[in-house]
Amino acid sequence: MANEIKAQSDSWEEGRTKYITFIVTKDCQLACKYCYLVGKNETERMSWPTAKAAIDYVLGNPDDFNEDSVVWDFIGGEPFLEIDLIDRICDYIKTEMFRLDHRWFDSYRFSFSTNGINYDNEKVQRFIMKNRDHLSIGVTIDGTKRKHDLNRIWKGTGKEKGSYDDVVRNIPLWLSQFPDGATKVTISSADIPYISESVMHLYSLGIKEVNINVVFENVWKEGDDALFEEQLIALADKIIDGDYYRDFACSFFSESIGKPLDPVGDNQNWCGAGRMLAVDAAGKFYPCTRFAAYSLRSKRPIVVGDVENGIDWNLLRPFIALDRLSQSPRECVECEVASGCAWCQGENYDAADTPTIYQRSTAICKMHKARVRANNYYWNKLFHKLSMSGTENSETDKGKKAKIPVC
């Protein structure tokens, strides 16, 4: 790809899509130290009648779900632990969309974020082959063995047994089926020193798009921001000096971040809570999975309906009304580097002084500012290199927002 810079891929049908999430299980093989799912367990598993009732409600109320496209999202725990149920759900969705002549019939995706451990399972592979043209699957691998095994450990082993070897063996199979597959990397305080080497390691595995973010929880220590900036600058040097920007992408670097915001024109909510819908094993509806009980440390879950009675739109109304100004402190609204500073609505709620969704958590403020400084370094260095080489008009990802995982 001579003289090209690889851009972040757009979300499928961005802006016109409904996200419906099935929490098919709260079980997982791993006990990741930074996981926000504090209530994982082996007992809460979705039944077929509950899943069917949720599908019937959504497809039977097209006026309430009027987006042009849909993403049927499956999470856990680890979703592929329930591959039999998922296969049945997806078959029923396809059949019903056809029977109803639904506008989503040929405009849908089945989406998965998996830890990758049982990716090569025979049933999982049969499911992939059957639904290949409508699938989006991301395998989570955190980087080098040292970084990955620091946090992504097996549960119930009596010792901290890392899962890197169990995941990396399936990366070639995954990339052979999804050559443009992206991974999601999470950064916590303990693994900041390994960011640069980890992104480069993921590139070496053939993963061309690395979506990476810091955890939203207040886990950050004094000096973490300085070390974070140092690591990102080291990563910038490696990407630019090695010409990796031509074929690879890292969401930490984007031209759209680190600018002041127009309080009116840029007043949209960052998070999609309330515009998506999640359903759990009990058939309860949530504005996002982060408002389910197993996602919350200190607050009660926020339920907005169930499969028997449908959505209570009055309960959902506060989420629809959310915007940047209504929940951000003045320092965030007036911040000179506000663009690209993300938040999670569920974490806002969990960390708030009262049971409100209108109090924005600012735990990542210093980390965002460190990212902006490193991001400025990256683009200044890259454009200087392109200018010196006479390729300053090469395609960039200018104007595209860096991909930040919903959860």
PDB file of all heavy atoms in Angstrom, residues 93-125:
ATOM      1  N   ILE A  93     -33.755 -15.975  14.275  1.00  0.00           N
ATOM      2  CA  ILE A  93     -33.758 -14.589  13.817  1.00  0.00           C
ATOM      3  C   ILE A  93     -33.844 -14.520  12.300  1.00  0.00           C
ATOM      4  O   ILE A  93     -34.650 -13.774  11.737  1.00  0.00           O
ATOM      5  CB  ILE A  93     -32.492 -13.856  14.321  1.00  0.00           C
ATOM      6  CG1 ILE A  93     -32.602 -13.577  15.822  1.00  0.00           C
ATOM      7  CG2 ILE A  93     -32.269 -12.555  13.548  1.00  0.00           C
ATOM      8  CD1 ILE A  93     -31.327 -13.024  16.438  1.00  0.00           C
ATOM      9  N   LYS A  94     -33.009 -15.293  11.627  1.00  0.00           N
ATOM     10  CA  LYS A  94     -33.015 -15.274  10.156  1.00  0.00           C
ATOM     11  C   LYS A  94     -34.355 -15.731   9.599  1.00  0.00           C
ATOM     12  O   LYS A  94     -34.898 -15.118   8.665  1.00  0.00           O
ATOM     13  CB  LYS A  94     -31.870 -16.159   9.631  1.00  0.00           C
ATOM     14  CG  LYS A  94     -30.488 -15.587   9.899  1.00  0.00           C
ATOM     15  CD  LYS A  94     -29.397 -16.473   9.338  1.00  0.00           C
ATOM     16  CE  LYS A  94     -29.258 -17.775  10.079  1.00  0.00           C
ATOM     17  NZ  LYS A  94     -28.109 -18.586   9.588  1.00  0.00           N
ATOM     18  N   THR A  95     -34.900 -16.796  10.171  1.00  0.00           N
ATOM     19  CA  THR A  95     -36.179 -17.329   9.695  1.00  0.00           C
ATOM     20  C   THR A  95     -37.304 -16.315   9.898  1.00  0.00           C
ATOM     21  O   THR A  95     -38.128 -16.094   9.004  1.00  0.00           O
ATOM     22  CB  THR A  95     -36.513 -18.636  10.432  1.00  0.00           C
ATOM     23  OG1 THR A  95     -35.488 -19.589  10.198  1.00  0.00           O
ATOM     24  CG2 THR A  95     -37.844 -19.206   9.955  1.00  0.00           C
ATOM     25  N   GLU A  96     -37.332 -15.697  11.087  1.00  0.00           N
ATOM     26  CA  GLU A  96     -38.395 -14.745  11.386  1.00  0.00           C
ATOM     27  C   GLU A  96     -38.266 -13.465  10.565  1.00  0.00           C
ATOM     28  O   GLU A  96     -39.280 -12.909  10.119  1.00  0.00           O
ATOM     29  CB  GLU A  96     -38.392 -14.413  12.877  1.00  0.00           C
ATOM     30  CG  GLU A  96     -38.986 -15.495  13.745  1.00  0.00           C
ATOM     31  CD  GLU A  96     -40.449 -15.735  13.404  1.00  0.00           C
ATOM     32  OE1 GLU A  96     -41.302 -14.924  13.791  1.00  0.00           O
ATOM     33  OE2 GLU A  96     -40.727 -16.748  12.728  1.00  0.00           O
ATOM     34  N   MET A  97     -37.068 -12.984  10.351  1.00  0.00           N
ATOM     35  CA  MET A  97     -36.910 -11.785   9.532  1.00  0.00           C
ATOM     36  C   MET A  97     -37.383 -12.050   8.108  1.00  0.00           C
ATOM     37  O   MET A  97     -37.991 -11.183   7.472  1.00  0.00           O
ATOM     38  CB  MET A  97     -35.453 -11.305   9.552  1.00  0.00           C
ATOM     39  CG  MET A  97     -35.021 -10.717  10.882  1.00  0.00           C
ATOM     40  SD  MET A  97     -33.446  -9.803  10.841  1.00  0.00           S
ATOM     41  CE  MET A  97     -32.310 -11.072  10.278  1.00  0.00           C
ATOM     42  N   PHE A  98     -37.138 -13.264   7.613  1.00  0.00           N
ATOM     43  CA  PHE A  98     -37.628 -13.627   6.280  1.00  0.00           C
ATOM     44  C   PHE A  98     -39.146 -13.751   6.270  1.00  0.00           C
ATOM     45  O   PHE A  98     -39.832 -13.214   5.385  1.00  0.00           O
ATOM     46  CB  PHE A  98     -36.990 -14.943   5.831  1.00  0.00           C
ATOM     47  CG  PHE A  98     -37.514 -15.446   4.515  1.00  0.00           C
ATOM     48  CD1 PHE A  98     -37.074 -14.892   3.320  1.00  0.00           C
ATOM     49  CD2 PHE A  98     -38.471 -16.464   4.473  1.00  0.00           C
ATOM     50  CE1 PHE A  98     -37.565 -15.353   2.097  1.00  0.00           C
ATOM     51  CE2 PHE A  98     -38.964 -16.922   3.268  1.00  0.00           C
ATOM     52  CZ  PHE A  98     -38.509 -16.356   2.075  1.00  0.00           C
ATOM     53  N   ARG A  99     -39.687 -14.437   7.258  1.00  0.00           N
ATOM     54  CA  ARG A  99     -41.140 -14.659   7.311  1.00  0.00           C
ATOM     55  C   ARG A  99     -41.906 -13.350   7.399  1.00  0.00           C
ATOM     56  O   ARG A  99     -42.968 -13.182   6.774  1.00  0.00           O
ATOM     57  CB  ARG A  99     -41.489 -15.549   8.502  1.00  0.00           C
ATOM     58  CG  ARG A  99     -42.966 -15.927   8.598  1.00  0.00           C
ATOM     59  CD  ARG A  99     -43.251 -16.761   9.835  1.00  0.00           C
ATOM     60  NE  ARG A  99     -43.122 -15.988  11.059  1.00  0.00           N
ATOM     61  CZ  ARG A  99     -44.089 -15.187  11.545  1.00  0.00           C
ATOM     62  NH1 ARG A  99     -45.236 -15.055  10.890  1.00  0.00           N
ATOM     63  NH2 ARG A  99     -43.903 -14.539  12.683  1.00  0.00           N
ATOM     64  N   LEU A 100     -41.355 -12.413   8.165  1.00  0.00           N
ATOM     65  CA  LEU A 100     -42.023 -11.129   8.364  1.00  0.00           C
ATOM     66  C   LEU A 100     -41.708 -10.120   7.270  1.00  0.00           C
ATOM     67  O   LEU A 100     -42.228  -9.000   7.300  1.00  0.00           O
ATOM     68  CB  LEU A 100     -41.602 -10.540   9.727  1.00  0.00           C
ATOM     69  CG  LEU A 100     -42.020 -11.340  10.966  1.00  0.00           C
ATOM     70  CD1 LEU A 100     -41.283 -10.807  12.201  1.00  0.00           C
ATOM     71  CD2 LEU A 100     -43.534 -11.280  11.162  1.00  0.00           C
ATOM     72  N   ASP A 101     -40.861 -10.509   6.327  1.00  0.00           N
ATOM     73  CA  ASP A 101     -40.392  -9.572   5.308  1.00  0.00           C
ATOM     74  C   ASP A 101     -39.864  -8.296   5.974  1.00  0.00           C
ATOM     75  O   ASP A 101     -40.177  -7.173   5.569  1.00  0.00           O
ATOM     76  CB  ASP A 101     -41.509  -9.234   4.322  1.00  0.00           C
ATOM     77  CG  ASP A 101     -40.981  -8.511   3.076  1.00  0.00           C
ATOM     78  OD1 ASP A 101     -39.784  -8.663   2.762  1.00  0.00           O
ATOM     79  OD2 ASP A 101     -41.774  -7.791   2.428  1.00  0.00           O
ATOM     80  N   HIS A 102     -39.077  -8.503   7.015  1.00  0.00           N
ATOM     81  CA  HIS A 102     -38.566  -7.405   7.837  1.00  0.00           C
ATOM     82  C   HIS A 102     -37.473  -6.651   7.096  1.00  0.00           C
ATOM     83  O   HIS A 102     -36.699  -7.242   6.345  1.00  0.00           O
ATOM     84  CB  HIS A 102     -38.017  -7.963   9.152  1.00  0.00           C
ATOM     85  CG  HIS A 102     -37.908  -6.957  10.249  1.00  0.00           C
ATOM     86  ND1 HIS A 102     -36.929  -5.985  10.273  1.00  0.00           N
ATOM     87  CD2 HIS A 102     -38.671  -6.767  11.365  1.00  0.00           C
ATOM     88  CE1 HIS A 102     -37.068  -5.261  11.368  1.00  0.00           C
ATOM     89  NE2 HIS A 102     -38.124  -5.699  12.042  1.00  0.00           N
ATOM     90  N   ARG A 103     -37.416  -5.336   7.300  1.00  0.00           N
ATOM     91  CA  ARG A 103     -36.401  -4.528   6.607  1.00  0.00           C
ATOM     92  C   ARG A 103     -34.984  -4.910   7.023  1.00  0.00           C
ATOM     93  O   ARG A 103     -34.021  -4.562   6.336  1.00  0.00           O
ATOM     94  CB  ARG A 103     -36.632  -3.036   6.864  1.00  0.00           C
ATOM     95  CG  ARG A 103     -36.508  -2.603   8.310  1.00  0.00           C
ATOM     96  CD  ARG A 103     -36.717  -1.095   8.477  1.00  0.00           C
ATOM     97  NE  ARG A 103     -36.786  -0.706   9.870  1.00  0.00           N
ATOM     98  CZ  ARG A 103     -37.883  -0.760  10.606  1.00  0.00           C
ATOM     99  NH1 ARG A 103     -39.007  -1.190  10.063  1.00  0.00           N
ATOM    100  NH2 ARG A 103     -37.872  -0.414  11.877  1.00  0.00           N
ATOM    101  N   TRP A 104     -34.835  -5.605   8.141  1.00  0.00           N
ATOM    102  CA  TRP A 104     -33.508  -6.032   8.570  1.00  0.00           C
ATOM    103  C   TRP A 104     -33.077  -7.343   7.904  1.00  0.00           C
ATOM    104  O   TRP A 104     -31.961  -7.803   8.162  1.00  0.00           O
ATOM    105  CB  TRP A 104     -33.490  -6.236  10.084  1.00  0.00           C
ATOM    106  CG  TRP A 104     -33.599  -4.985  10.891  1.00  0.00           C
ATOM    107  CD1 TRP A 104     -33.425  -3.694  10.455  1.00  0.00           C
ATOM    108  CD2 TRP A 104     -33.918  -4.902  12.285  1.00  0.00           C
ATOM    109  NE1 TRP A 104     -33.609  -2.811  11.486  1.00  0.00           N
ATOM    110  CE2 TRP A 104     -33.906  -3.522  12.630  1.00  0.00           C
ATOM    111  CE3 TRP A 104     -34.192  -5.836  13.281  1.00  0.00           C
ATOM    112  CZ2 TRP A 104     -34.180  -3.080  13.922  1.00  0.00           C
ATOM    113  CZ3 TRP A 104     -34.458  -5.394  14.565  1.00  0.00           C
ATOM    114  CH2 TRP A 104     -34.455  -4.039  14.891  1.00  0.00           C
ATOM    115  N   PHE A 105     -33.939  -7.950   7.092  1.00  0.00           N
ATOM    116  CA  PHE A 105     -33.658  -9.307   6.613  1.00  0.00           C
ATOM    117  C   PHE A 105     -32.277  -9.425   5.974  1.00  0.00           C
ATOM    118  O   PHE A 105     -31.558 -10.399   6.218  1.00  0.00           O
ATOM    119  CB  PHE A 105     -34.736  -9.764   5.620  1.00  0.00           C
ATOM    120  CG  PHE A 105     -34.387 -11.060   4.941  1.00  0.00           C
ATOM    121  CD1 PHE A 105     -34.250 -12.228   5.675  1.00  0.00           C
ATOM    122  CD2 PHE A 105     -34.159 -11.106   3.570  1.00  0.00           C
ATOM    123  CE1 PHE A 105     -33.912 -13.427   5.052  1.00  0.00           C
ATOM    124  CE2 PHE A 105     -33.816 -12.299   2.946  1.00  0.00           C
ATOM    125  CZ  PHE A 105     -33.696 -13.455   3.684  1.00  0.00           C
ATOM    126  N   ASP A 106     -31.882  -8.461   5.159  1.00  0.00           N
ATOM    127  CA  ASP A 106     -30.554  -8.542   4.544  1.00  0.00           C
ATOM    128  C   ASP A 106     -29.666  -7.382   4.988  1.00  0.00           C
ATOM    129  O   ASP A 106     -28.753  -6.978   4.277  1.00  0.00           O
ATOM    130  CB  ASP A 106     -30.667  -8.559   3.016  1.00  0.00           C
ATOM    131  CG  ASP A 106     -29.410  -9.128   2.362  1.00  0.00           C
ATOM    132  OD1 ASP A 106     -28.795 -10.022   2.972  1.00  0.00           O
ATOM    133  OD2 ASP A 106     -29.044  -8.669   1.265  1.00  0.00           O
ATOM    134  N   SER A 107     -29.961  -6.851   6.175  1.00  0.00           N
ATOM    135  CA  SER A 107     -29.153  -5.752   6.696  1.00  0.00           C
ATOM    136  C   SER A 107     -28.917  -5.976   8.183  1.00  0.00           C
ATOM    137  O   SER A 107     -29.419  -5.245   9.035  1.00  0.00           O
ATOM    138  CB  SER A 107     -29.850  -4.406   6.451  1.00  0.00           C
ATOM    139  OG  SER A 107     -28.990  -3.328   6.735  1.00  0.00           O
ATOM    140  N   TYR A 108     -28.158  -7.023   8.465  1.00  0.00           N
ATOM    141  CA  TYR A 108     -27.920  -7.390   9.860  1.00  0.00           C
ATOM    142  C   TYR A 108     -26.519  -7.968  10.032  1.00  0.00           C
ATOM    143  O   TYR A 108     -25.874  -8.399   9.075  1.00  0.00           O
ATOM    144  CB  TYR A 108     -28.962  -8.419  10.327  1.00  0.00           C
ATOM    145  CG  TYR A 108     -28.796  -9.791   9.695  1.00  0.00           C
ATOM    146  CD1 TYR A 108     -28.031 -10.783  10.304  1.00  0.00           C
ATOM    147  CD2 TYR A 108     -29.402 -10.092   8.476  1.00  0.00           C
ATOM    148  CE1 TYR A 108     -27.874 -12.033   9.728  1.00  0.00           C
ATOM    149  CE2 TYR A 108     -29.258 -11.341   7.887  1.00  0.00           C
ATOM    150  CZ  TYR A 108     -28.496 -12.302   8.520  1.00  0.00           C
ATOM    151  OH  TYR A 108     -28.338 -13.547   7.947  1.00  0.00           O
ATOM    152  N   ARG A 109     -26.056  -7.949  11.260  1.00  0.00           N
ATOM    153  CA  ARG A 109     -24.812  -8.598  11.639  1.00  0.00           C
ATOM    154  C   ARG A 109     -25.009  -9.341  12.951  1.00  0.00           C
ATOM    155  O   ARG A 109     -25.782  -8.915  13.814  1.00  0.00           O
ATOM    156  CB  ARG A 109     -23.682  -7.565  11.847  1.00  0.00           C
ATOM    157  CG  ARG A 109     -23.150  -6.940  10.572  1.00  0.00           C
ATOM    158  CD  ARG A 109     -22.313  -7.921   9.776  1.00  0.00           C
ATOM    159  NE  ARG A 109     -21.706  -7.299   8.613  1.00  0.00           N
ATOM    160  CZ  ARG A 109     -22.298  -7.163   7.429  1.00  0.00           C
ATOM    161  NH1 ARG A 109     -23.540  -7.591   7.275  1.00  0.00           N
ATOM    162  NH2 ARG A 109     -21.674  -6.608   6.422  1.00  0.00           N
ATOM    163  N   PHE A 110     -24.309 -10.452  13.093  1.00  0.00           N
ATOM    164  CA  PHE A 110     -24.159 -11.132  14.369  1.00  0.00           C
ATOM    165  C   PHE A 110     -22.765 -10.775  14.887  1.00  0.00           C
ATOM    166  O   PHE A 110     -21.770 -11.018  14.190  1.00  0.00           O
ATOM    167  CB  PHE A 110     -24.302 -12.643  14.220  1.00  0.00           C
ATOM    168  CG  PHE A 110     -25.652 -13.091  13.743  1.00  0.00           C
ATOM    169  CD1 PHE A 110     -25.769 -14.039  12.731  1.00  0.00           C
ATOM    170  CD2 PHE A 110     -26.810 -12.581  14.304  1.00  0.00           C
ATOM    171  CE1 PHE A 110     -27.007 -14.462  12.288  1.00  0.00           C
ATOM    172  CE2 PHE A 110     -28.060 -12.992  13.869  1.00  0.00           C
ATOM    173  CZ  PHE A 110     -28.159 -13.939  12.860  1.00  0.00           C
ATOM    174  N   SER A 111     -22.700 -10.209  16.070  1.00  0.00           N
ATOM    175  CA  SER A 111     -21.435  -9.661  16.570  1.00  0.00           C
ATOM    176  C   SER A 111     -21.005 -10.361  17.853  1.00  0.00           C
ATOM    177  O   SER A 111     -21.830 -10.614  18.741  1.00  0.00           O
ATOM    178  CB  SER A 111     -21.595  -8.158  16.822  1.00  0.00           C
ATOM    179  OG  SER A 111     -20.414  -7.609  17.376  1.00  0.00           O
ATOM    180  N   PHE A 112     -19.697 -10.628  17.934  1.00  0.00           N
ATOM    181  CA  PHE A 112     -19.135 -11.322  19.091  1.00  0.00           C
ATOM    182  C   PHE A 112     -17.795 -10.707  19.482  1.00  0.00           C
ATOM    183  O   PHE A 112     -16.981 -10.390  18.612  1.00  0.00           O
ATOM    184  CB  PHE A 112     -18.887 -12.810  18.790  1.00  0.00           C
ATOM    185  CG  PHE A 112     -20.118 -13.577  18.429  1.00  0.00           C
ATOM    186  CD1 PHE A 112     -20.597 -13.558  17.124  1.00  0.00           C
ATOM    187  CD2 PHE A 112     -20.788 -14.313  19.382  1.00  0.00           C
ATOM    188  CE1 PHE A 112     -21.729 -14.271  16.773  1.00  0.00           C
ATOM    189  CE2 PHE A 112     -21.932 -15.031  19.029  1.00  0.00           C
ATOM    190  CZ  PHE A 112     -22.408 -15.009  17.732  1.00  0.00           C
ATOM    191  N   SER A 113     -17.593 -10.569  20.770  1.00  0.00           N
ATOM    192  CA  SER A 113     -16.260 -10.314  21.303  1.00  0.00           C
ATOM    193  C   SER A 113     -15.925 -11.507  22.185  1.00  0.00           C
ATOM    194  O   SER A 113     -16.598 -11.751  23.192  1.00  0.00           O
ATOM    195  CB  SER A 113     -16.221  -9.014  22.114  1.00  0.00           C
ATOM    196  OG  SER A 113     -14.925  -8.777  22.603  1.00  0.00           O
ATOM    197  N   THR A 114     -14.906 -12.259  21.794  1.00  0.00           N
ATOM    198  CA  THR A 114     -14.601 -13.520  22.464  1.00  0.00           C
ATOM    199  C   THR A 114     -13.183 -13.517  23.013  1.00  0.00           C
ATOM    200  O   THR A 114     -12.295 -12.854  22.474  1.00  0.00           O
ATOM    201  CB  THR A 114     -14.780 -14.707  21.491  1.00  0.00           C
ATOM    202  OG1 THR A 114     -14.302 -15.914  22.105  1.00  0.00           O
ATOM    203  CG2 THR A 114     -14.005 -14.491  20.184  1.00  0.00           C
ATOM    204  N   ASN A 115     -12.984 -14.275  24.074  1.00  0.00           N
ATOM    205  CA  ASN A 115     -11.621 -14.427  24.602  1.00  0.00           C
ATOM    206  C   ASN A 115     -10.787 -15.360  23.739  1.00  0.00           C
ATOM    207  O   ASN A 115      -9.579 -15.487  23.957  1.00  0.00           O
ATOM    208  CB  ASN A 115     -11.641 -14.902  26.065  1.00  0.00           C
ATOM    209  CG  ASN A 115     -12.312 -16.250  26.260  1.00  0.00           C
ATOM    210  OD1 ASN A 115     -12.277 -17.128  25.397  1.00  0.00           O
ATOM    211  ND2 ASN A 115     -12.936 -16.437  27.418  1.00  0.00           N
ATOM    212  N   GLY A 116     -11.399 -16.021  22.765  1.00  0.00           N
ATOM    213  CA  GLY A 116     -10.661 -16.803  21.778  1.00  0.00           C
ATOM    214  C   GLY A 116     -10.272 -18.203  22.198  1.00  0.00           C
ATOM    215  O   GLY A 116      -9.727 -18.955  21.384  1.00  0.00           O
ATOM    216  N   ILE A 117     -10.553 -18.569  23.430  1.00  0.00           N
ATOM    217  CA  ILE A 117     -10.062 -19.851  23.931  1.00  0.00           C
ATOM    218  C   ILE A 117     -10.696 -21.038  23.199  1.00  0.00           C
ATOM    219  O   ILE A 117     -10.012 -21.989  22.833  1.00  0.00           O
ATOM    220  CB  ILE A 117     -10.296 -19.940  25.454  1.00  0.00           C
ATOM    221  CG1 ILE A 117      -9.351 -18.974  26.175  1.00  0.00           C
ATOM    222  CG2 ILE A 117     -10.084 -21.369  25.960  1.00  0.00           C
ATOM    223  CD1 ILE A 117      -9.605 -18.845  27.655  1.00  0.00           C
ATOM    224  N   ASN A 118     -12.007 -20.983  22.983  1.00  0.00           N
ATOM    225  CA  ASN A 118     -12.647 -22.106  22.287  1.00  0.00           C
ATOM    226  C   ASN A 118     -13.067 -21.717  20.876  1.00  0.00           C
ATOM    227  O   ASN A 118     -14.033 -22.260  20.338  1.00  0.00           O
ATOM    228  CB  ASN A 118     -13.825 -22.654  23.093  1.00  0.00           C
ATOM    229  CG  ASN A 118     -14.910 -21.611  23.328  1.00  0.00           C
ATOM    230  OD1 ASN A 118     -14.685 -20.410  23.159  1.00  0.00           O
ATOM    231  ND2 ASN A 118     -16.086 -22.068  23.733  1.00  0.00           N
ATOM    232  N   TYR A 119     -12.324 -20.807  20.257  1.00  0.00           N
ATOM    233  CA  TYR A 119     -12.634 -20.371  18.900  1.00  0.00           C
ATOM    234  C   TYR A 119     -12.576 -21.541  17.908  1.00  0.00           C
ATOM    235  O   TYR A 119     -13.340 -21.588  16.944  1.00  0.00           O
ATOM    236  CB  TYR A 119     -11.664 -19.277  18.462  1.00  0.00           C
ATOM    237  CG  TYR A 119     -11.999 -18.670  17.122  1.00  0.00           C
ATOM    238  CD1 TYR A 119     -12.908 -17.626  17.014  1.00  0.00           C
ATOM    239  CD2 TYR A 119     -11.403 -19.132  15.954  1.00  0.00           C
ATOM    240  CE1 TYR A 119     -13.235 -17.074  15.783  1.00  0.00           C
ATOM    241  CE2 TYR A 119     -11.712 -18.593  14.718  1.00  0.00           C
ATOM    242  CZ  TYR A 119     -12.636 -17.558  14.643  1.00  0.00           C
ATOM    243  OH  TYR A 119     -12.948 -17.022  13.415  1.00  0.00           O
ATOM    244  N   ASP A 120     -11.675 -22.483  18.137  1.00  0.00           N
ATOM    245  CA  ASP A 120     -11.517 -23.607  17.215  1.00  0.00           C
ATOM    246  C   ASP A 120     -12.450 -24.773  17.521  1.00  0.00           C
ATOM    247  O   ASP A 120     -12.381 -25.819  16.866  1.00  0.00           O
ATOM    248  CB  ASP A 120     -10.071 -24.099  17.209  1.00  0.00           C
ATOM    249  CG  ASP A 120      -9.602 -24.578  18.585  1.00  0.00           C
ATOM    250  OD1 ASP A 120     -10.287 -24.269  19.591  1.00  0.00           O
ATOM    251  OD2 ASP A 120      -8.555 -25.246  18.652  1.00  0.00           O
ATOM    252  N   ASN A 121     -13.349 -24.582  18.489  1.00  0.00           N
ATOM    253  CA  ASN A 121     -14.322 -25.618  18.816  1.00  0.00           C
ATOM    254  C   ASN A 121     -15.140 -25.980  17.574  1.00  0.00           C
ATOM    255  O   ASN A 121     -15.504 -25.115  16.779  1.00  0.00           O
ATOM    256  CB  ASN A 121     -15.238 -25.101  19.934  1.00  0.00           C
ATOM    257  CG  ASN A 121     -16.373 -26.053  20.259  1.00  0.00           C
ATOM    258  OD1 ASN A 121     -17.416 -25.993  19.618  1.00  0.00           O
ATOM    259  ND2 ASN A 121     -16.176 -26.888  21.262  1.00  0.00           N
ATOM    260  N   GLU A 122     -15.428 -27.257  17.396  1.00  0.00           N
ATOM    261  CA  GLU A 122     -16.107 -27.730  16.185  1.00  0.00           C
ATOM    262  C   GLU A 122     -17.459 -27.043  15.981  1.00  0.00           C
ATOM    263  O   GLU A 122     -17.804 -26.631  14.865  1.00  0.00           O
ATOM    264  CB  GLU A 122     -16.298 -29.247  16.254  1.00  0.00           C
ATOM    265  CG  GLU A 122     -16.948 -29.840  15.013  1.00  0.00           C
ATOM    266  CD  GLU A 122     -17.103 -31.344  15.110  1.00  0.00           C
ATOM    267  OE1 GLU A 122     -16.541 -31.950  16.050  1.00  0.00           O
ATOM    268  OE2 GLU A 122     -17.801 -31.920  14.244  1.00  0.00           O
ATOM    269  N   LYS A 123     -18.226 -26.899  17.049  1.00  0.00           N
ATOM    270  CA  LYS A 123     -19.535 -26.258  16.931  1.00  0.00           C
ATOM    271  C   LYS A 123     -19.401 -24.776  16.598  1.00  0.00           C
ATOM    272  O   LYS A 123     -20.191 -24.227  15.820  1.00  0.00           O
ATOM    273  CB  LYS A 123     -20.328 -26.441  18.219  1.00  0.00           C
ATOM    274  CG  LYS A 123     -20.793 -27.864  18.469  1.00  0.00           C
ATOM    275  CD  LYS A 123     -21.615 -27.942  19.742  1.00  0.00           C
ATOM    276  CE  LYS A 123     -22.123 -29.352  19.983  1.00  0.00           C
ATOM    277  NZ  LYS A 123     -22.937 -29.438  21.230  1.00  0.00           N
ATOM    278  N   VAL A 124     -18.417 -24.128  17.197  1.00  0.00           N
ATOM    279  CA  VAL A 124     -18.180 -22.713  16.897  1.00  0.00           C
ATOM    280  C   VAL A 124     -17.808 -22.549  15.437  1.00  0.00           C
ATOM    281  O   VAL A 124     -18.300 -21.643  14.740  1.00  0.00           O
ATOM    282  CB  VAL A 124     -17.073 -22.141  17.811  1.00  0.00           C
ATOM    283  CG1 VAL A 124     -16.682 -20.722  17.371  1.00  0.00           C
ATOM    284  CG2 VAL A 124     -17.527 -22.133  19.269  1.00  0.00           C
ATOM    285  N   GLN A 125     -16.966 -23.418  14.937  1.00  0.00           N
ATOM    286  CA  GLN A 125     -16.541 -23.328  13.542  1.00  0.00           C
ATOM    287  C   GLN A 125     -17.692 -23.613  12.571  1.00  0.00           C
ATOM    288  O   GLN A 125     -17.790 -22.964  11.529  1.00  0.00           O
ATOM    289  CB  GLN A 125     -15.368 -24.288  13.291  1.00  0.00           C
ATOM    290  CG  GLN A 125     -14.049 -23.778  13.855  1.00  0.00           C
ATOM    291  CD  GLN A 125     -13.635 -22.456  13.229  1.00  0.00           C
ATOM    292  OE1 GLN A 125     -13.502 -22.348  12.007  1.00  0.00           O
ATOM    293  NE2 GLN A 125     -13.424 -21.447  14.064  1.00  0.00           N
TER     294      GLN A 125
END
